[in-house]
Amino acid sequence: MNDVLERLRVESDGSPEYGTLLGAAPDELADSLSSAGRPLWARELAAYRLGLAGDRRAFESLVLLLNHRDPPRCEAAAQALAVLGDPRTARAAAALATNTLRTAYALHAVRLLAALRAPESAPALISTLGRLLSPHDPYWRVALACVEGLGALADARARDVLVRAQGHPRLALAATDALGRLLAGHPDA
């Protein structure tokens, strides 16, 4: 949390609005999300604080930030969404993770899916990993996060895609570990 707040403080470039938002009540934070002309750092700060407080008014803003091109924003949004507890979160993260046009920005959505352990998690991770298994795919870090997430979920449906991932040089060790975890959790897998 402190890393996120420090990054946003630096982005605010000394704006007094930073201190105001840091001490604002939930209703003020929610109002700032819908106010026109707010800088991105201010919207992120408001959404992040609301998300950590469990205030579902932050959901839409956090999902937009989860899909941002800037990895620190995606990571902060994923942290807040994990705490928020909104039932729509897994469906939104799955949509982002499986969107072929947004694969470059899917890393934190993939990690969030694994952390949520929702019904949508394993199918989305299996689908995403399946399309990233070519040896020269530039998104191998996203594929690795899928492998690690599937290992944590230990869902038997992931067996085939994890076996295929063992043939990928950058994924082989993690895929073998994930298969071991899957078989330990489900001997009939």
Side-chain angles (χ1 to χ4, degrees), residues 4-97:
V4 174
L5 296 179
E6 178 58 20
R7 175 179 54 80
L8 294 174
R9 186 193 63 74
V10 170
E11 285 184 35
S12 76
D13 199 27
S15 170
E17 185 178 6
Y18 176 83
T20 301
L21 286 172
L22 205 54
D27 286 342
E28 295 169 298
L29 292 170
D31 287 345
S32 74
L33 289 177
S34 59
S35 298
R38 298 303 271 255
L40 182 57
W41 66 262
R43 289 182 188 280
E44 182 181 356
L45 178 56
Y48 183 74
R49 286 202 51 229
L50 284 170
L52 292 182
D55 190 319
R56 292 187 180 171
R57 293 177 287 184
F59 176 76
E60 290 177 8
S61 295
L62 289 171
V63 169
L64 289 173
L65 290 165
L66 182 64
N67 193 32
H68 199 274
R69 69 182 175 274
D70 186 16
R73 290 195 201 290
C74 299
E75 183 177 13
Q79 289 172 6
L81 283 164
V83 172
L84 182 61
D86 191 297
R88 301 171 290 176
T89 300
R91 190 175 38 231
L96 294 175

Side-chain angles (χ1 to χ4, degrees), residues 88-179:
R88 301 171 290 176
T89 300
R91 190 175 38 231
L96 294 175
T98 58
N99 183 337
T100 58
L101 300 176
R102 303 298 292 174
T103 304
Y105 312 114
L107 180 64
H108 295 288
V110 164
R111 289 179 177 160
L112 177 59
L113 280 168
L116 292 173
R117 300 174 114 19
E120 297 89 346
S121 296
L125 296 180
I126 291 166
S127 171
T128 301
L129 178 59
R131 68 181 163 77
L132 298 176
L133 287 178
S134 72
H136 303 293
D137 192 285
Y139 306 116
W140 66 268
R141 286 180 180 86
V142 175
L144 181 60
C146 288
V147 168
E148 292 168 346
L150 289 168
L153 294 173
D155 189 306
R157 295 174 291 179
R159 185 184 180 283
D160 291 341
V161 75
L162 289 172
V163 168
R164 289 182 32 226
Q166 284 182 302
H168 191 291
R170 290 182 164 159
L171 305 177
L173 289 175
T176 299
D177 179 61
L179 277 167

